[in-house]
């Protein structure tokens, strides 16, 4: 269980893409709060394919369902496409 204003907690999102093999900037975890407000947290590469962010006490300031997604800007000349399949919770 996660509580609002809880610290000492990290979010880890697996991109299933080897991030060590690409040049990337602007590593972020974008979020949408239960109220609909949006924002982002700065992220770091973790275990090659994952982005991680450690919450501070002020981050989780709303009660309810939060949504999050990994975001990074690739520094390449040719586009790289990835697919994400998002499922409804409980399925």
């Amino acid at each position: 269980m996660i509580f609002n204003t809880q610290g000492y907690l990290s979010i880890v999102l697996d991109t299933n893409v080897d991030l060590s093999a690409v040049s990337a900037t602007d590593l972020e975890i974008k979020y949408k709060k239960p109220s609909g407000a949006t924002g982002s947290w700065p992220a770091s590469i973790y275990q090659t394919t994952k982005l991680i962010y450690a919450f501070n006490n002020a981050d989780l300031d709303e009660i309810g369902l939060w949504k999050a997604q990994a975001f990074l800007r690739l520094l390449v000349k040719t586009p790289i496409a990835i697919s994400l399949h998002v499922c409804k919770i409980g399925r």
Side-chain angles (χ1 to χ4, degrees), residues 6-62:
Q6 181 174 350
Y8 305 105
L9 180 71
S10 294
I11 183 172
V12 178
L13 299 179
D14 195 340
T15 66
N16 291 317
V17 174
D18 184 353
L19 300 174
S20 67
V22 298
S23 296
T25 61
D26 301 331
L27 300 171
E28 298 177 342
I29 295 176
K30 294 192 175 206
Y31 62 81
K32 185 174 185 180
K33 295 181 178 189
S35 66
T38 60
S40 64
W41 297 301
S44 301
I45 296 173
Y46 176 69
Q47 295 180 345
T48 310
T49 63
K50 300 172 185 165
L51 293 182
I52 188 171
Y53 172 74
F55 292 112
N56 66 52
N57 292 346
D59 287 329
L60 300 175
D61 59 352
E62 291 187 17

